Amino acid sequence: RVAWRDGGGGMKMHPLFIDGFAGGGGASTGIEQALGRPIDVAVNHSPTAIAIHKANHPTTEHHCQDIRAIWPRVATRNRPVGGAWFSPDCKEFSKAKGGPVKDRSIRTLADEIPHWLSETQPDVAYIENVEEFEDWGPLEQGEFLHCTLTFDR
């Protein structure tokens, strides 16, 4: 899936694009439209979400596992990663929730994003949903982060 023939008869590889919290596939559809090709890897713990995503994105490699339980380098098979999209459950971070943290296990989902970025070293990464993520640190390029990080509100 990640290789194609160039005009000279050789093979070329494109870097992977990951959907780290794949739901029904809306974000993946937008990414496909932008890239002009399907995303490569999708992860979600919910069998229902993965089944819907598979129906919408049949050529994507799906991992029906909690993102905290799958090793990023196993999911990507150590292949280069061009981009990663993460839309973690945000209800335990957002000020719009209007109350104290009720479920710390949901809150820890977002804590997996820096681990995935560190392990896969994508060229660019996107985190959707919550402006409070902008206050995370350290998220500048350097020892920990080797990609451009974009926040989409």
Side-chain angles (χ1 to χ4, degrees):
R1 258 192 30 79
V2 298
W4 71 93
R5 293 210 179 274
D6 65 15
M11 296 296 285
K12 290 192 173 192
M13 301 286 286
H14 68 255
L16 301 178
F17 205 104
I18 301 167
D19 187 342
F21 293 93
S28 293
T29 297
I31 293 164
E32 281 187 16
Q33 290 172 349
L35 293 176
R37 65 171 183 83
I39 66 157
D40 303 290
V41 177
V43 179
N44 195 300
H45 71 284
S46 166
T48 302
I50 286 294
I52 293 168
H53 198 280
K54 277 184 181 179
N56 291 324
H57 304 279
T59 63
T60 297
E61 181 179 317
H62 291 88
H63 296 272
C64 187
Q65 289 183 275
D66 188 314
I67 199 162
R68 295 169 286 205
I70 186 169
W71 292 350
R73 291 184 185 175
V74 170
T76 62
R77 290 185 262 146
N78 284 316
R79 294 172 290 179
V81 176
W85 180 275
F86 297 97
S87 300
D89 189 315
C90 63
K91 69 180 175 263
E92 296 298 336
F93 278 97
S94 174
K95 64 183 169 219
K97 182 180 137 205
V101 172
K102 293 180 181 143
D103 187 345
R104 294 210 183 272
S105 69
I106 299 257
R107 189 176 178 120
T108 63
L109 288 173
D111 293 338
E112 287 301 307
I113 296 169
H115 172 69
W116 273 72
L117 297 177
S118 179
E119 288 290 308
T120 62
Q121 299 295 313
D123 295 327
V124 64
Y126 302 87
I127 301 174
E128 181 189 25
N129 288 337
V130 182
E131 72 180 75
E132 285 81 2
F133 291 150
E134 292 177 352
D135 295 329
W136 279 1
L139 287 180
E140 286 134 22
Q141 285 186 307
E143 181 181 328
F144 162 71
L145 189 64
H146 303 280
C147 68
T148 302
L149 185 62
T150 302
F151 293 91
D152 179 26
R153 284 190 247 151

